[in-house]
Amino acid sequence: MVKDVQNINLIDSVYGKQQLVDLIASHHIFVSAHRAEGFGRLLPEVMHLKVPCIVSNFSGNTDYCSEDNCIFLDGHLVPVGDEYQFSDDRQYWFDADLNDLSEKMSLSMNQYDDCKKKAEQAKMDTERLGIENMYPELARQVDRIQKTVFGLPSAGSRLT
């Protein structure tokens, strides 16, 4: 359907790591209008490459995305329901507002210097996401889960 559209490039080959990095770095902006990304891996990698990002204001990416380093999409929560194997009515998707996405994409074109400033901040912010910097927080989270969910004693020195 899009093969004749001039501003869409279809890539039907497997890229190596450097080819993928070069492809991402060559883009004006990255959009992740996801329903529930979790932490994700691609998004912090894109941020580290100083590519401005428009992202859903939901899920694990909110642990490292902020108004200072990304453009957040508005939207609303929708119950997942029990139609999937491991889901129930206590879980939610995020549905991005497509009008908001359109506005923010236009904004990114018209105020690109501001977006690049956010991308510069994103690069600095992603420096702290390496395992050596995240380890103390991960250890605290494992400890909390062991205590509250499983009723187990603190992991303490077993994590070092």
Side-chain angles (χ1 to χ4, degrees), residues 42-123:
L42 183 59
L43 184 54
E45 289 178 354
V46 171
M47 293 168 70
H48 195 73
L49 293 170
K50 296 192 281 189
V51 175
C53 296
I54 299 174
V55 299
S56 294
N57 190 7
F58 182 71
S59 201
N61 64 284
T62 60
D63 288 340
Y64 55 89
C65 293
S66 69
E67 294 288 342
D68 295 330
N69 63 25
C70 289
I71 300 168
F72 278 126
L73 289 174
D74 293 331
H76 61 278
L77 297 180
V78 177
V80 174
D82 61 1
E83 64 187 88
Y84 300 99
Q85 184 175 359
F86 298 108
S87 65
D88 62 41
D89 60 359
R90 297 171 296 169
Q91 298 168 316
Y92 294 88
W93 303 124
F94 179 84
D95 275 350
D97 181 316
L98 296 181
N99 291 324
D100 189 51
L101 174 57
S102 177
E103 288 173 21
K104 291 188 173 155
M105 289 179 77
S106 293
L107 177 79
S108 75
M109 295 298 294
N110 297 328
Q111 297 176 3
Y112 191 64
D113 288 342
D114 292 338
C115 291
K116 286 302 284 182
K117 288 177 187 169
K118 287 180 183 278
E120 292 287 339
Q121 183 64 47
K123 163 78 171 164

Side-chain angles (χ1 to χ4, degrees), residues 1-13 15 23 26-27:
M1 287 179 12
V2 297
K3 68 180 181 177
D4 295 325
V5 178
Q6 296 298 318
N7 62 347
I8 295 177
N9 296 314
L10 294 176
I11 299 170
D12 63 353
S13 59
Y15 274 25
L23 175 68
S26 72
H27 282 75

Side-chain angles (χ1 to χ4, degrees), residues 102-154:
S102 177
E103 288 173 21
K104 291 188 173 155
M105 289 179 77
S106 293
L107 177 79
S108 75
M109 295 298 294
N110 297 328
Q111 297 176 3
Y112 191 64
D113 288 342
D114 292 338
C115 291
K116 286 302 284 182
K117 288 177 187 169
K118 287 180 183 278
E120 292 287 339
Q121 183 64 47
K123 163 78 171 164
M124 290 187 288
D125 291 349
T126 57
E127 296 289 336
R128 68 181 172 81
L129 294 177
I131 191 64
E132 65 280 354
N133 297 324
M134 294 292 288
Y135 184 80
E137 179 58 25
L138 291 172
R140 279 191 291 278
Q141 291 296 337
V142 168
D143 214 38
R144 181 187 61 78
I145 291 167
Q146 283 186 312
K147 288 180 198 173
T148 59
V149 177
F150 299 109
L152 298 172
S154 173

